[in-house]
Amino acid sequence: MAHTIVIFGASGDLTSRKLVPAIYELHRKGRLPKESRIVGFSRTPYAHDQWRDRLRQSTAQFVADAFDQSAWDAFAPSVFYHPGDIENGEDFVSLSRFLDELEGPAGAARIYYLSTAPRFYEPAIAELGKAGMAQQSAGVRRIVIEKPFGVDLVSARELNEVVHQVFDEAQVYRIDHYLGKETVQNVLVLRFANTIFEPIWNRNYVDHVQITAAEEVTIGHRAGYYDTAGLLRDMFQNHLLQLLTLTAMEAPARFEADAVRDEKVKILRAIRPMRPEDVAANTLRGQYRKYRDEPNVVPGSYTPTFGVVKLNVDNWRWQGVPFYLRSGKAMSCRTTQIVIQFREPPHMMFPEGARNIQEANRLVLQIQPAEGVQLHFLTKVPDAGMQLRLTDLDFRFRQKFAAGIPDSYQRLLLDVIHGDASLFARSDEVELAWGIVDPIQAAWDHPGPPELALYEEGGWGPPTSNEWMQRQGRRWFDTCPVL
Ligand code: BG6
């Protein structure tokens, strides 16, 4: 079946940086269905060839060594451009006509990709509906919606309603690019394709879980968006909660979209809602010192660039096991990791053993940038009496597999083409995630506890973060990727 991927917001950054490079790579690897086309739609009036030239340059830049001129030459004729305004119904009628002509009488499966500013999601969906472009009588029609999906529960519900007036839920693919990361998917494989981890993956053996997404970058030129959105909406509602659900969920019977998402939803439902009075005790917020000097940051901005949220999953498996979610910009290094911290042995017969949690077993799932898994365990130091030391066992993806790790968008776009929504957020999942984040955001919208602590760039957030964790009787696993 022929496929047409229509990109709304075609002249934007995401299209040139991620989407087109990913589609080009799929083409180069021979993964796209025969007769696949891209059609760009945005207001800038490009001719087809002008847009192709621009994309050639940006793709060469973003795929770097994987760029192959002859592969591009074979790909470029399937790239088209149709200028138009999302807020103008007539432009959708003319787009629809253009697509019909391009696809010919045989038609094609269509994927509409909303890569626009979020305020255009609703008008784009409504116009697609009015132009009859969502109807599946002429072929499959799917819609991909980028994050952010709403800014809180109310707006996410409204957006879901607008979406469902035009598309069935089965046609909708809400992207969280973290789910396209190979190592994120490997969390499921590690847990459910092996027998040795599951028996200990629970409150009997696990003391707590740390999920950290640290970034070295500062906000830079992104403050126009970030200063209003803030950290919870940018990283927690989506990426960090997704990592939590994959770590905590039960094994679905099959790797199928609804089976997987049902289990994730059960975890989100089991997360103890944060009451306003809990926020001060269970969260931390910080801002890097120079944040207020960044362009477009509102003077005196209270927007956090670092945060910690402690969540409890109230079910049999996880009762009493806190999940510490942490993210920050301007940190020591870029690292995303899930740390499963196991309990100390119940009794230590050696004089120097795991007598505190810092020396107990730990499984580090390194999501990026050095993808792999590290198991920490105690060993005997040779020729030193009965001295013990915490050592590790490493698995590195790059060492074991010759094929490089592809960008998330390749996997996700291919899944949309094949109609597999397992790695996409369902409407109830998105709404539940907002329900978890909203009460924290409501408290953070005002000055007061937890106080916004300033921190130096290049570290692990404000000093209060370590002090707070110490009061929890625990310590952060502050390690830049060791793999
Ligand atoms: C995006 C956020 O969704 O994820 C950014 O908007 C963040 O603020 C980015 O930098 C992190 O993605 P990755 O894949 O680099 O970890």
Side-chain angles (χ1 to χ4, degrees):
M1 177 79 178
H3 277 74
T4 311
I5 304 172
V6 185
I7 305 179
F8 295 93
S11 52
D13 203 40
L14 183 72
T15 305
S16 51
R17 225 163 23 91
K18 294 287 183 188
L19 302 183
V20 173
I23 301 169
Y24 157 79
E25 279 287 77
L26 291 173
H27 162 87
R28 193 179 62 82
K29 295 177 186 169
R31 308 251 168 95
L32 284 182
K34 279 204 180 77
E35 263 204 82
S36 295
R37 311 176 196 88
I38 309 180
V39 175
F41 179 93
S42 57
R43 278 186 308 188
T44 321
Y46 298 124
H48 299 308
D49 275 339
Q50 266 177 310
W51 198 48
R52 288 173 189 146
D53 282 350
R54 285 178 63 95
L55 292 180
R56 197 199 72 81
Q57 281 171 30
S58 50
T59 306
Q61 179 189 346
F62 292 115
V63 304
D65 291 347
F67 191 77
D68 169 356
Q69 186 62 48
S70 56
W72 178 266
D73 290 343
F75 173 69
S78 55
V79 176
F80 301 88
Y81 188 81
H82 188 82
D85 183 349
I86 285 185
E87 291 177 299
N88 181 352
E90 282 170 22
D91 289 351
F92 279 75
V93 175
S94 91
L95 172 66
S96 176
R97 212 177 299 129
F98 175 74
L99 294 172
D100 288 342
E101 278 165 23
L102 197 63
E103 291 163 351
R110 272 190 214 159
I111 293 160
Y112 302 120
Y113 200 115
L114 296 187
S115 160
T116 63
R119 69 175 189 282
F120 293 120
Y121 294 170
E122 292 192 12
I125 292 162
E127 294 301 345
L128 283 169
K130 277 193 229 154
M133 294 169 77
Q135 284 166 17
Q136 306 214 72
S137 46
V140 168
R141 302 288 181 256
R142 301 192 173 115
I143 183 150
V144 185
I145 306 175
E146 266 292 334
K147 86 166 245 278
F149 195 89
V151 293
D152 55 16
L153 177 57
V154 172
S155 55
R157 273 197 187 133
E158 276 168 19
L159 182 54
N160 272 330
E161 271 172 32
V162 171
V163 170
H164 291 149
Q165 276 162 20
V166 177
F167 293 94
D168 288 339
E169 180 61 26
Q171 294 173 273
V172 184
Y173 293 73
R174 294 174 195 77
I175 274 210
D176 182 324
H177 78 277
Y178 262 58
L179 292 178
K181 292 182 193 285
E182 294 281 324
T183 32
V184 172
Q185 293 156 40
N186 193 50
V187 175
L188 293 182
V189 176
L190 185 96
R191 293 191 54 201
F192 303 136
N194 295 294
T195 36
I196 61 169
F197 299 110
E198 253 335 88
I200 54 169
W201 207 268
N202 56 51
R203 65 189 304 276
N204 299 327
Y205 292 90
V206 177
D207 175 77
H208 72 275
V209 177
Q210 296 182 19
I211 302 181
T212 298
E215 292 178 274
E216 217 175 338
V217 289
T218 55
I219 295 300
H221 65 278
R222 294 181 67 225
Y225 147 76
Y226 186 87
D227 200 41
T228 330
L231 183 68
L232 292 173
R233 295 189 180 102
D234 191 49
M235 293 296 291
F236 281 72
Q237 185 272 344
N238 35 64
H239 310 325
L240 291 186
L241 279 179
Q242 286 291 347
L243 296 181
L244 183 154
T245 53
L246 296 177
T247 308
M249 69 191 248
E250 299 301 317
R254 278 174 298 281
F255 189 62
E256 279 176 8
D258 275 330
V260 172
R261 299 187 298 181
D262 285 345
E263 295 303 337
K264 286 163 72 187
V265 158
K266 282 186 207 160
I267 292 297
L268 294 172
R269 282 192 205 287
I271 290 178
R272 193 179 306 160
M274 194 97 65
R275 294 168 308 177
E277 60 269 31
D278 299 330
V279 176
N282 291 319
T283 72
L284 292 176
R285 52 179 165 166
Q287 190 185 70
Y288 64 84
R289 268 188 204 285
K290 297 199 185 115
Y291 175 71
R292 293 179 192 178
D293 301 334
E294 304 278 19
N296 297 321
V297 169
V298 172
S301 167
Y302 233 74
T303 303
T305 56
F306 170 92
V308 172
V309 172
K310 175 186 175 187
L311 292 174
N312 294 288
V313 180
D314 284 335
N315 63 15
W316 275 54
R317 188 191 278 265
W318 295 116
Q319 192 53 241
V321 180
F323 283 73
Y324 297 99
L325 274 48
R326 174 174 68 151
S327 180
K329 311 277 185 204
M331 303 276 279
S332 172
C333 54
R334 176 171 182 250
T335 180
T336 303
Q337 65 204 6
I338 302 171
V339 178
I340 313 294
Q341 176 65 64
F342 293 97
R343 293 178 185 279
E344 308 100 278
H347 165 69
M348 184 48 86
M349 66 180 209
F350 302 106
E352 299 205 29
R355 279 166 304 179
N356 62 51
I357 201 69
Q358 273 64 255
E359 290 156 356
N361 295 130
R362 199 184 282 134
L363 188 68
V364 182
L365 312 182
Q366 183 72 50
I367 305 295
Q368 60 186 17
E371 297 86 351
V373 178
Q374 194 173 60
L375 177 65
H376 296 200
F377 58 103
L378 280 168
T379 42
K380 181 182 175 309
V381 179
D383 201 18
M386 257 309 164
Q387 207 183 318
L388 311 188
R389 186 177 302 160
L390 201 62
T391 48
D392 44 62
L393 208 56
D394 289 346
F395 159 75
R396 293 177 172 82
F397 270 90
R398 281 171 208 273
Q399 211 170 49
K400 284 284 172 215
F401 300 104
I405 297 212
D407 186 79
S408 327
Y409 280 89
Q410 290 182 39
R411 167 68 194 258
L412 294 175
L413 280 160
L414 211 52
D415 282 359
V416 183
I417 290 172
H418 294 146
D420 181 353
S422 313
L423 299 177
F424 294 81
R426 206 167 57 187
S427 54
D428 51 347
E429 202 178 335
V430 173
E431 291 180 13
L432 285 163
W434 279 121
I436 293 163
V437 161
D438 276 0
I440 308 171
Q441 185 68 57
W444 282 19
D445 279 341
H446 305 285
E451 295 303 336
L452 184 78
L454 296 182
Y455 63 96
E456 303 300 333
E457 290 177 34
W460 288 93
T464 44
S465 166
N466 285 338
E467 294 155 15
W468 180 86
M469 199 56 160
Q470 255 166 26
R471 287 199 298 276
Q472 305 270 317
R474 298 175 172 119
R475 199 160 68 188
W476 289 115
F477 183 70
D478 285 348
T479 308
C480 287
V482 276
L483 295 172

